[in-house]
Amino acid sequence: MNNKFIISILMLLLATMPAVGRVCHILPKPRQVNIKVEGKYFALGRKVIVNDPSDCALLREFLEDNGCEIAVKSKDRIDVSIVETIKGATDYELAGYEDEAYRIDVSEHRVLIEATTKTGVIRAVQTLQQMAEGYRSRTGLELVEIVDYPAFKLRGFMHDVARQFIPVDELKKQIRLLSRFKVNTLHLHLTDNVAWRFQVTAYPQLTAATSMTRDAGCYYTQQECRELEEYALKYGMNIIPEIDMPGHSAAFERAMGTTMQSTQGIAQLKTALIDVATTFEHAPYIHIGADEVNITQPDYLGKIIDWVHNLGRKAVVWTPSGGNPRGVDMAQMWSSAGKPVPGAANIDCRYLYLNHFDVFADLAGIYLSNIYHQQEGSPEIVGAIAAVWNDHRQASTADILRENNLYANVVAMASRAWTGGGTEYIETGGARLPNEGPELEDFKDWETRFLFHKLSSLRDEPVPYVAQSQVRWLVCGPFPNGGDPQAAMAPEQQGPKNGYVVGGKRYEPKLATGATIYLRHTWGDRIPAFYKNIDTSGFTAYAWTYVYSETEQKVGALIELQNYSRSEADRVPEYVKWDRKGSRVWLNDVELLAPLWKNHGAVVPLDSVMGDVNLASRAPLIVHLEKGWNKVFLKLPYVPVEGIRLNKWMFTFVFTDLEGRKALPLEYDPYHF
């Protein structure tokens, strides 16, 4: 029996074994872990004594979910202790965010939780939840000591509920699931051009159906907002409500008949902010937007910030903003132009707009990048928020989550923000996996942990991400269009082993790792990709790998040659074409044609449903693998195209099961010529 066969069998067994929760699956990875006794555990599903001065509702929920009965008498107990310090932990001040450090000590008959605050107790319970996940029968907790604390205090996600309404029950589910991964902030973008979604008692016209151009009549009542906030607090999560002003305000103008910068408009906004403050009564911050607008009213932002302070809250703005945010407490950096505001707490959101991202390479960029050039948080750089902008309409909330790979991306961001580190910022490191070294091993560890949770706590959620760290390619080029590398050399000299010569220049193939390879990133040279300083004058690259299959079999293939951003009205490829640049794909020298696109050749308006152009929203292509080695070959032109604003030079290819749920345990070896 050859080694490849043994490896394949072992990987297949691992892929199909029942999921069993262990410390090795905790995300984010704890700072300090000491497994005390292998093989023994604190059994759940029985009577326990609970001593909890913090009265943590999440602890009671955890025990109930795992079949524990709180009793007066038992040899087994859970003790919670609020202590002054956790040895080895660090912290810094951020208004509205408590110290989250905790210590867990698990013995056969006792679980001890130590924390300096009630929030720290919640974080400890979230770790216990992960330790107990995935068991098929009686659950238990490994005998372990854990000391854990965050590098950055704010770790959040943002929903653009103005452009596309998300029901309260769905938001609650996301709060519950994402809080397990130490996500502690939900930013709600409640108002924009298409709709105002927050109920203002004095102005019912703001939430009237006639004032909305999407999801007409859908909004959040004040009571629903209160319930949502109470629910979030149970899971240790703050809500930051945003009333965007004075830009993105067409819905306000339709309803109120005036602009936000008028004297009347400012007075109306102040009234609305009173309702925001009294409704989200525990929210430490109110976001007032302020981006993408020419602010002409003198000291407009300063006056609104003063009003927010008058309401007993702290103010947040986007930066760059359209005016002078004097006295602002927090700034959310967006786009490459976003810079920290001196004297404020700054949030990194610059390259965390998930609506522009693909499923694989950009996730690697999120995880491997540090948080705005910092290894640890500080009062000046406090954390990160991953944002989803619904400029383009999606068919459902599930499509929003699927298209934007929300769960995987947010967990990757929260993992980095909790543990800190990251060798380089994404502007230097790029959105790509290294081919070897400690960064690749770190990512593999994260990927293994996340995919466990995909099959356990996230099993019912639309998560398109599958394992990619095993996928390897050789890429050659870029050749100037018109130069045919196949004709440039004698048959015995040309090919992947020797490289190619075109116009007297030799092109050597280079190794790349991952299911998606950006040859040129969405944001051009601001994010390093496989090639640097490539314009649109016309190039072609070639990529290939060989994949070993123990048997002849049908499998799925996730393929994408142009990822369509969810903020663009782009033209769909023609029938059976993968993109509008002329990219082509072969498997064992047989060309693989693209699906019959629903909107083939059409520009899909922002208010129409995108359809099936992105791999996350369609079934995998079903293909046939031969027994033994199989060749995947791609031709990748890069030329200007009509109807595409963000012309992404990229490719995605990975073999999966027939449903596209899991990557298959196959060997990828691009050097097997």
Side-chain angles (χ1 to χ4, degrees), residues 581-639:
K581 297 188 290 289
S583 299
R584 300 172 70 184
V585 184
W586 291 266
L587 175 61
N588 295 325
D589 298 321
V590 176
E591 186 165 6
L592 302 180
L593 300 181
L596 304 178
W597 310 112
K598 295 176 182 176
N599 297 309
H600 68 97
V603 173
V604 183
L606 293 178
D607 284 327
S608 299
V609 174
M610 282 188 68
D612 55 356
V613 291
N614 287 334
L615 66 83
S617 290
R618 62 177 187 268
L621 187 69
I622 305 303
V623 299
H624 178 85
L625 286 183
E626 298 174 358
K627 182 178 179 179
W629 288 101
N630 297 261
K631 180 183 179 182
V632 180
F633 189 84
L634 299 94
K635 181 180 181 180
L636 305 160
Y638 186 52
V639 295

Side-chain angles (χ1 to χ4, degrees), residues 648-660:
K648 303 179 181 182
W649 198 17
M650 58 173 286
F651 66 92
T652 299
F653 195 110
V654 60
F655 289 114
T656 69
D657 59 12
L658 296 176
E659 292 74 37

